[in-house]
Amino acid sequence: MTRLSSLEGRSSFRTWLYRIVVNHLLNMKRGCVEHESTSFAPYGAALDATPDIELADPKGETAETMALVTEAMLSCTSGMLVCLDREQRLSYILGAIFDVSDTVGAEVLEISPENFRQRLARARRDLRNFMNDKCGLVNQANPCRCAKKTRGFIQAGHVDPENLLFVRERICEVREAAPKAYETIKTLDDKCADIYRRHPFYKAPDLAQMVRLAGSECRAEAFN
C-alpha cells in the first residue's frame, strides 16, 4: 500500500499486485520446510517412513482431533507443493489454483505465454503423478490417510498441537478468493488443484472499515 505510486498503469492493478507477491516469493529466504523438501522422491520416502498410528479418537469426532487431522493434511499437501521449484510452484498457483490466463501468468512471471504454459504443464504433471501415487485424498486406492499419519507427524515434529500453523481463527478458503465454476471434477489435475483451493489462508482485518470508524470518531470529536 505504500508503493501505489509505482503503479504505472501499463497493466491491470491485479497483475501489478501479483507481480509484487511473485517477487517476494522468489527473493525471500528459503524456509526450513523448503530446505528439507527439494524433490518428490525424498518427500515420498519420508511419508512412507512415517508410521500409521491410530488416534485416541480414531473417528475424529472431537473438535481437537479434527483440527489436528486438518493441520496434518494441510502440512502434508503444502509439503508436496514445496517439492516443486519456486518457478514451477508460482506457475501452478497462478495457473491451476487461481486459474489466471496464460497471458496474465506470462506477464506476471515476465516470460512468454508459451513458456508459462510449458512450465504449468510440467508442474501439473509432477504434482499429479506424485499425488496420484501417494495421496489418499486424490486416489482412494492409496493407503496414505491423513488421520493415520497425524500422530506420526506430531512425533516427528511436523505438527505441533500447541502451535497450529494452518488451523487458525480468521481464515477462509482459497476458492472463496479465486472461485472456479464447474459441475464436476472431471480430471485428475482438477482434483489436485481443488485440494489447494480448499486450503485456508489468513483473512486480514477490514482496514477500510477501521479507517472509516477512525474518521467518524475524529469528526465527532471535532464537532463536540
Side-chain angles (χ1 to χ4, degrees):
M1 296 303 294
T2 62
R3 300 294 295 173
L4 283 173
S5 60
S6 66
L7 177 60
E8 299 177 354
R10 291 181 295 180
S11 59
S12 70
F13 178 80
R14 175 170 291 192
T15 300
W16 174 78
L17 188 60
Y18 274 140
R19 185 65 213 169
I20 292 175
V21 177
V22 164
N23 285 334
H24 173 70
L25 292 178
L26 288 174
N27 297 326
M28 68 186 294
K29 182 180 178 181
R30 290 167 64 87
C32 60
V33 174
E34 195 169 11
H35 278 296
E36 293 173 0
S37 303
T38 56
S39 67
F40 287 105
Y43 194 79
L47 280 178
D48 292 339
T50 302
D52 292 340
I53 308 173
E54 291 291 344
L55 292 164
D57 175 26
K59 293 185 178 180
E61 294 179 348
T62 67
E64 181 180 357
T65 299
M66 290 175 62
L68 289 174
V69 173
T70 301
E71 180 79 5
M73 183 273 288
L74 293 170
S75 298
C76 185
T77 50
S78 295
M80 296 175 192
L81 200 58
V82 172
C83 290
L84 299 171
D85 63 45
R86 286 187 176 183
E87 287 76 14
Q88 279 189 317
R89 201 182 319 152
L90 285 167
S91 298
Y92 186 82
I93 291 171
L94 289 170
I97 300 176
F98 284 95
D99 201 31
V100 305
S101 68
D102 56 353
T103 302
V104 173
E107 185 176 356
V108 169
L109 298 180
E110 297 182 337
I111 57 178
S112 70
E114 181 181 2
N115 284 341
F116 177 79
R117 291 193 298 269
Q118 291 175 349
R119 190 181 292 178
L120 175 58
R122 287 194 295 269
R124 277 177 165 155
R125 177 201 63 202
D126 292 346
L127 196 60
R128 175 185 67 234
N129 290 345
F130 182 82
M131 296 181 78
N132 190 45
D133 183 58
K134 292 289 183 184
C135 183
L137 296 172
V138 171
N139 184 351
Q140 294 185 357
N142 291 324
C144 188
R145 292 290 184 273
C146 303
K148 291 183 178 181
K149 296 292 184 183
T150 298
R151 285 187 63 185
F153 285 176
I154 294 173
Q155 292 176 357
H158 302 316
V159 171
D160 181 357
E162 304 301 323
N163 182 30
L164 301 181
L165 299 177
F166 298 100
V167 183
R168 302 176 180 177
E169 295 181 357
R170 299 177 71 174
I171 58 175
C172 60
E173 292 184 352
V174 172
R175 61 180 176 175
E176 295 176 27
K180 181 179 180 181
Y182 48 84
E183 295 178 1
T184 57
I185 299 176
K186 295 182 175 64
T187 69
L188 188 56
D189 281 333
D190 279 333
K191 282 186 177 181
C192 295
D194 191 61
I195 287 174
Y196 292 103
R197 292 190 194 103
R198 294 173 184 272
H199 272 215
F201 66 90
Y202 178 74
K203 188 175 183 180
D206 186 356
L207 296 179
Q209 179 67 16
M210 292 169 63
V211 171
R212 286 193 293 269
L213 289 174
S216 299
E217 291 173 359
C218 290
R219 286 192 296 272
E221 291 178 2
F223 181 78
N224 293 331

